[in-house]
Amino acid sequence: MTTEEKLKKYQDWIFKCSAYQMALNIIVIDKQTVAPAAGASYRDERSAYLEGELFSLETDPEIVALLKDLQEDPEVDADNRRAIGLYYKKAQDTLCIPKAEFVAFKKLCAESFDAWILAKSKADYSLFAPYLEKMIESQKRLYGYRKSDKSIYDRMLDDFEPGMNQEKYDAFFAALKERLVPLIQKVTKAKQLREDFLTQNFPVEEQKKFMEGLLEYLHFDPSWGYQNESEHPFTSWTCENDCRTTTKYLENNVISAVLSTVHEVGHAYYEHNINPKYDGMILSEGVSSGMHESQSRLLENYLGRSMAFWSYHYPRLQKHFPKQLGEVSLEEFYQAINVAKPSLIRTEADELTYPMHVLIRYEIEKGLFNGSISTEGLNRTWNAKYKEYLGVDVPNDQVGILQDVHWSDGLFGYFPTYALGTAYAAQYVKSMRKDLDVDALLAENHFDTIMNWLKEHIHTYGFRYEAPELMKMVTGEEFNVNDFLDYIEEKYTELYQL
Ligand code: ZN
């Protein structure tokens, strides 16, 4: 076969894989948003079957041989060479797994998600514990098939953030703790800021009206993006120009749905803005979970919690809720949405204490995979860690161990990327501020200019480069956690007049 013929075969294969992937993504979006619960077992069995068909396609020995061949072909261009290398690695990682076990795992993921929904609604960890145990055992077995010298948990960490492992994350979290713990202590002793007005009754219908204007400001255009509601907000894609995000409204919290929306729109833009020449290919995904979270956390925190952002939106919010917020000034509102205090829920945590929530999950995951922590009584372990790191008492499992969806879906090793991505974002913002007057753009309704900067410098490349390479291209520097710590220290010193 000529190179051209080989590439044609490879592209036909990509097309088939992307068709299965698109169907599977739609099934998951449907399951997590609108699908009636009673149909779960019928649906789960069939979607697991489709996962198995995609698995067969991705690990087809003829294709794996073709990928190996193309990898060594000098006539293949640089973009395709990069993509082929990634496909080949993915095939190597999966082809050692027996297909039946893979399909059984996918079915278990779907069942485990339903068990988590039920357990969370009843605030009862014991209903989810058997599934969590099975998820961990399955993941240990599946990862165990891979030929690797690394520990199972290191392999998982590397899957979400290539190049990362426990040693590097330990150093990362140690650096965070060193400067954040004393700062948290100082803030705790400082004069406290008012925030009681954020948790009055805010009718959801009115929140939705405010949201319409927010989505417009974000240029989250209905021609390519759609927002729904789900128990745990998420973003998913079916193709380049079809992105689905969700949010969750809380009647007694006016800021939760706003910040979760801004966060998810950050994920949405990332993949929407990838160069269309990569469409359907592995390069049309984000670089890593950390890079993805850097884009969502950048919007959520560095923009969505800023004074400039709210100087535009707050008068609008006041119009929707005159009774609740009419007497509250912009300055008071800005302070309230940035109040730092130990709390129960990760997704609602302030920027200062947020990394502690992630650290707790990271330590538990490490323990679960090295055998020092068991799923039995894990809710008590969780509660003890929340007491130790954040000083809070967890009243029930719903706001404790059952708050996050990730483990129900077999995602172990994902959590640390939230803290890492938040730190990446600080470095990106520093670079962006050299080129743009970010505050003026936010205050004057020019969000699109900010998104265009992110598109041009980060999004467009998709998975073309590795995270450290991209960081260097965008900022001219290696990743450095101190940019995040400097930002946090400066923000909270000013806010609490330390
Ligand atoms: Zn996210």
Side-chain angles (χ1 to χ4, degrees):
M1 264 200 283
T2 62
T3 302
E4 205 178 321
E5 285 163 343
K6 283 188 267 181
L7 282 171
K8 167 84 175 68
K9 194 174 173 189
Y10 152 78
Q11 267 140 11
D12 288 347
W13 170 76
I14 290 178
F15 181 85
K16 263 194 236 173
C17 291
S18 70
Y20 275 97
Q21 196 57 66
M22 182 185 79
L24 286 162
N25 285 356
I26 292 173
I27 291 169
V28 171
I29 294 164
D30 179 75
K31 180 181 172 74
Q32 297 199 9
T33 51
V34 294
S41 68
Y42 184 95
R43 283 194 313 263
D44 294 349
E45 221 158 10
R46 277 142 191 88
S47 52
Y49 169 80
L50 287 177
E51 292 274 11
E53 291 307 286
L54 178 57
F55 176 93
S56 297
L57 202 56
E58 287 180 339
T59 55
D60 177 354
E62 209 185 312
I63 290 293
V64 178
L66 175 74
L67 292 172
K68 189 169 189 306
D69 188 10
L70 279 170
Q71 237 188 339
E72 288 150 14
D73 189 328
E75 284 179 49
V76 173
D77 64 86
D79 282 349
N80 270 313
R81 189 183 307 284
R82 162 78 175 157
I84 288 161
L86 292 167
Y87 282 123
Y88 185 67
K89 183 187 177 298
K90 194 175 171 195
Q92 290 298 318
D93 286 344
T94 31
L95 95 132
C96 47
I97 301 168
K99 182 180 171 183
E101 276 196 47
F102 179 82
V103 173
F105 174 70
K106 288 295 174 183
K107 190 160 165 282
L108 176 65
C109 286
E111 290 165 357
S112 164
F113 174 80
D114 293 335
W116 169 72
I117 290 275
L118 179 71
K120 188 177 176 188
S121 73
K122 295 193 181 303
D124 183 356
Y125 169 68
S126 72
L127 298 173
F128 177 58
Y131 288 89
L132 181 58
E133 178 67 27
K134 278 192 242 174
M135 279 319 253
I136 292 168
E137 285 315 308
S138 299
Q139 284 290 43
K140 280 184 181 167
R141 230 182 13 257
L142 296 185
Y143 272 85
Y145 285 117
R146 287 195 200 173
K147 285 186 201 80
S148 170
D149 307 332
K150 296 178 196 163
S151 72
I152 301 272
Y153 190 51
D154 275 344
R155 286 176 223 179
M156 300 178 124
L157 292 171
D158 185 75
D159 265 4
F160 290 112
E161 197 64 23
M164 286 304 282
N165 56 30
Q166 291 171 74
E167 201 188 329
K168 290 183 187 171
Y169 272 123
D170 286 347
F172 169 69
F173 281 111
L176 290 182
K177 268 164 85 174
E178 198 184 317
R179 284 173 65 183
L180 291 185
V181 170
L183 187 57
I184 292 172
Q185 284 165 353
K186 270 199 224 167
V187 164
T188 312
K189 285 185 202 131
K191 182 171 177 290
Q192 295 305 295
L193 306 169
R194 239 190 104 192
E195 55 158 348
D196 53 317
F197 47 81
L198 292 180
T199 49
Q200 304 170 77
N201 186 274
F202 293 93
V204 168
E205 282 315 307
E206 204 56 39
Q207 289 193 45
K208 286 183 180 174
K209 286 183 197 156
F210 172 78
M211 191 65 82
E212 280 173 30
L214 178 67
L215 291 173
E216 220 171 281
Y217 169 94
L218 297 171
H219 293 260
F220 186 65
D221 185 336
S223 71
W224 62 269
Y226 179 75
Q227 190 188 48
N228 210 323
E229 289 172 56
S230 67
E231 179 55 37
H232 197 108
F234 69 92
T235 301
S236 188
W237 297 264
T238 64
C239 65
E240 186 211 348
N241 281 313
D242 177 351
C243 173
R244 319 291 175 95
T245 76
T246 67
T247 191
K248 187 183 178 185
Y249 293 97
L250 301 174
E251 193 132 42
N252 62 354
N253 184 328
V254 73
I255 198 70
S256 176
V258 172
L259 290 178
S260 86
T261 294
V262 176
H263 177 105
E264 297 305 331
V265 166
H267 283 302
Y269 264 113
Y270 189 176
E271 299 207 9
H272 175 65
N273 281 341
I274 292 172
N275 192 327
K277 74 175 173 176
Y278 300 144
D279 207 11
M281 291 164 81
I282 200 164
L283 301 184
S284 71
E285 296 169 13
V287 177
S288 62
S289 302
M291 274 301 159
H292 240 298
E293 293 306 332
S294 81
Q295 297 311 293
S296 53
R297 301 275 297 160
L298 191 156
L299 264 65
E300 177 190 349
N301 291 334
Y302 301 84
L303 310 183
R305 289 184 197 263
S306 71
M307 179 58 118
F309 181 90
W310 284 102
S311 70
Y312 181 83
H313 290 287
Y314 189 58
R316 236 170 36 78
L317 190 68
Q318 279 181 311
K319 265 190 208 139
H320 284 283
F321 298 106
K323 199 160 61 75
Q324 297 90 331
L325 298 172
E327 302 296 311
V328 178
S329 71
L330 169 63
E331 179 67 30
E332 286 172 312
F333 181 80
Y334 166 75
Q335 289 178 351
I337 63 166
N338 284 292
V339 159
K341 65 160 200 239
S343 61
L344 292 166
I345 308 288
R346 175 185 62 84
T347 55
E348 286 162 23
D350 58 85
E351 290 174 87
L352 177 56
T353 60
Y354 183 90
M356 296 297 143
H357 291 258
V358 177
L359 177 61
I360 289 170
R361 286 150 179 80
Y362 171 61
E363 289 189 351
I364 290 178
E365 286 184 345
K366 276 206 295 188
L368 287 169
F369 282 89
N370 71 23
S372 63
I373 293 179
S374 106
T375 56
E376 205 195 311
L378 190 62
N379 50 345
R380 290 192 296 276
T381 309
W382 177 285
N383 299 351
K385 286 212 178 271
Y386 261 77
K387 186 77 186 167
E388 183 190 343
Y389 284 105
L390 288 158
V392 293
D393 291 305
V394 180
N396 64 59
D397 297 339
Q398 188 180 61
V399 292
I401 190 169
L402 296 174
Q403 65 182 272
D404 287 313
V405 65
H406 307 63
W407 292 343
S408 81
D409 205 23
L411 301 178
F412 303 97
Y414 190 104
F415 282 120
T417 69
Y418 284 114
L420 189 64
T422 305
Y424 285 163
Q427 224 166 319
Y428 288 146
V429 172
K430 198 174 95 176
S431 281
M432 186 161 71
R433 284 189 185 278
K434 287 180 194 156
D435 294 344
L436 302 178
D437 186 346
V438 175
D439 291 336
L441 293 167
L442 287 173
E444 288 158 22
N445 194 6
H446 294 301
F447 192 77
D448 49 338
T449 307
I450 295 175
M451 291 322 294
N452 283 337
W453 190 95
L454 292 170
K455 177 181 181 176
E456 188 191 323
H457 291 84
I458 300 169
H459 301 168
T460 188
Y461 298 112
F463 200 177
R464 180 66 181 79
Y465 304 99
E466 296 288 332
E469 226 176 330
L470 188 64
M471 176 60 78
K472 197 89 193 271
M473 282 164 60
V474 181
T475 67
E477 293 168 356
E478 311 266 323
F479 168 60
N480 181 350
V481 69
N482 286 324
D483 282 332
F484 167 68
L485 292 166
D486 292 345
Y487 157 82
I488 284 285
E489 269 179 9
E490 194 181 320
K491 177 165 180 172
Y492 281 91
T493 301
E494 194 189 316
L495 206 63
Y496 281 85
Q497 298 174 348
L498 301 175

